Amino acid sequence: MKRILVSGGAGFIGSHLCTRLINEGHDVICLDNFFTGSKNNIIHLMDNHHFELVRHDVTHPYTAEVDEIYNLACPASPIYYQYDAIQTAKTSVMGAINMLGLAQRLNARILQASTSEVYGDPIVHPQTEDYWGNVNPIGIRSCYDEGKRCAETLFMDYHRQNKVRIKIIRIFNTYGPKMLPHDGRVVSNFVVQALCNNDITIYGSGEQTRSFQYIDDLIEGMVRMMNTDDDFVGPVNIGNPNEFSILELAEKVIRLTNSSSKIIFKPLPFDDPKQRQPDISLAKEKLNWHPTVQLEEGLENMIEYFKYIAC
């Protein structure tokens, strides 16, 4: 049994991770300020005496005795991270500093949940971990993109300078139950719109591509990364390399929901990437990991979850 801290543990990804760790028999401290996280996501764990919920903002220091730290705290949807761009940047940067400081004091392993957004609007396709990215440092998405890039810098410098035992993963588009129904991300947007028989909104031509990863595959990759030897720190891409256009996704969702929704097109937001596809060769080699849930199966699970809360 390990004692594990999950910052952002009541969020979409964090709550699935907390459940996995509790099911494995660990003690889990879930840290969240509930800006985008929800108690509903972890309500099923509240009576478990191995689970502890703490309301806390990672921009302020936190102390606990733990063996491992998963640093997930940061809004990941454009609607939420652009709402308070300064706080988003502070969460990525100050949150990393505070969690790294705790890991250093405890000699604990710490995993940083970074993002494919560090690649920006890529000119290399698919994206490998040695690609430095094509990121606008002063755009409306920069608070998140550059905040996560700075967090990776801090993790590497704490590792090189202070010998902190770090792990870095770069998470590509992930979807599944417990996403917020109106968080502005494309899969949840389309599913909710289709279930309510509203127009499905595509920004741009719909020819831009994404690779969609189901939440269970991500959690498996995260846990495997945390359990690798200390000499492998990453970064490593965790995503599904099967690439779909946004238009293809919309058509799949309409078909699977048997919806009467029509597709409408609106202007593409500024700085929205045109392509996003992970090269997962490193994850296959180092983690013996690859995604197992394909898009239609994952969408069916997502649709079943949203049936009761969408409209």
Side-chain angles (χ1 to χ4, degrees):
M1 178 186 290
K2 299 174 185 174
R3 189 161 168 78
I4 302 174
L5 174 65
V6 180
S7 72
F12 161 49
I13 295 173
S15 59
H16 283 274
L17 177 61
C18 286
T19 300
R20 166 71 179 263
L21 297 174
I22 287 290
N23 288 342
E24 290 183 350
H26 302 298
D27 281 332
V28 174
I29 302 174
C30 170
L31 212 64
D32 210 293
N33 69 351
F34 298 106
F35 176 56
T36 57
S38 168
K39 287 184 180 178
N40 289 333
N41 287 341
I42 41 87
I43 194 73
H44 62 290
L45 301 175
M46 297 293 280
D47 291 332
N48 191 308
H49 64 278
H50 292 295
F51 181 78
E52 181 180 351
L53 175 63
V54 179
R55 182 185 290 268
H56 184 82
D57 190 315
V58 293
T59 60
H60 304 287
Y62 177 77
T63 299
E65 300 298 318
V66 296
D67 304 300
E68 294 177 351
I69 302 168
Y70 288 84
N71 186 39
L72 277 63
C74 189
S77 149
I79 287 176
Y80 288 101
Y81 70 62
Q82 292 173 17
Y83 175 78
D84 188 341
I86 294 170
Q87 185 64 22
T88 295
K90 287 173 65 178
T91 299
S92 286
V93 176
M94 295 305 301
I97 290 170
N98 288 329
M99 292 295 106
L100 284 162
L102 178 61
Q104 180 181 343
R105 182 176 72 78
L106 300 173
N107 192 32
R109 278 185 181 171
I110 179 169
L111 181 144
Q112 167 65 5
S114 191
T115 172
S116 60
E117 296 296 333
V118 301
Y119 299 122
D121 189 3
I123 56 176
V124 170
H125 192 75
Q127 293 81 57
T128 55
E129 291 86 353
D130 58 359
Y131 175 50
W132 291 357
N134 178 39
V135 179
N136 178 1
I138 57 171
I140 59 173
R141 301 170 66 101
S142 305
C143 57
Y144 184 70
D145 299 3
E146 295 287 42
K148 289 288 191 176
R149 285 163 66 92
C150 185
E152 286 196 18
T153 301
L154 287 162
F155 265 69
M156 290 304 302
D157 286 339
Y158 268 77
H159 174 64
R160 286 186 286 248
Q161 187 171 326
N162 298 334
K163 311 305 179 188
V164 176
R165 302 162 65 204
I166 69 162
K167 307 285 179 184
I168 301 173
I169 62 170
R170 291 174 176 163
I171 300 172
F172 281 69
N173 289 62
T174 303
Y175 68 98
K178 298 186 181 178
M179 293 186 80
L180 294 171
H182 302 292
D183 74 350
R185 285 184 275 196
V186 65
V187 179
S188 53
N189 264 9
F190 285 2
V191 170
V192 169
Q193 288 171 336
L195 286 171
C196 298
N197 292 308
N198 294 331
D199 290 338
I200 287 186
T201 308
I202 289 181
Y203 294 94
S205 66
E207 295 175 1
Q208 66 270 34
T209 65
R210 295 291 185 273
S211 303
F212 302 105
Q213 167 177 237
Y214 191 64
I215 183 64
D216 291 356
D217 286 330
L218 169 60
I219 298 303
E220 180 65 27
M222 294 176 78
V223 171
R224 290 193 186 199
M225 181 60 174
M226 181 64 92
N227 292 330
T228 54
D229 293 337
D230 284 346
D231 58 352
F232 179 60
V233 302
V236 59
N237 292 334
I238 303 293
N240 192 319
N242 292 337
E243 189 178 17
F244 296 89
S245 73
I246 298 300
L247 184 57
E248 284 180 280
L249 174 66
E251 291 168 345
K252 279 182 182 291
V253 169
I254 289 172
R255 176 171 55 82
L256 290 171
T257 54
N258 198 25
S259 176
S260 61
S261 296
K262 306 300 182 191
I263 295 174
I264 63 171
F265 295 87
K266 292 190 175 182
L268 190 69
F270 185 65
D271 275 354
D272 197 60
K274 310 298 187 301
Q275 288 181 309
R276 192 62 61 72
Q277 181 190 24
D279 183 311
I280 61 168
S281 302
L282 189 62
K284 288 179 177 178
E285 175 192 348
K286 296 293 188 178
L287 311 181
N288 192 27
W289 174 92
H290 66 276
T292 61
V293 180
Q294 298 309 319
L295 184 58
E296 291 214 5
E297 179 187 352
L299 285 175
E300 287 171 354
N301 294 339
M302 184 91 162
I303 290 163
E304 187 64 27
Y305 173 78
F306 275 122
K307 273 182 182 177
Y308 306 101
I309 61 173
C311 304

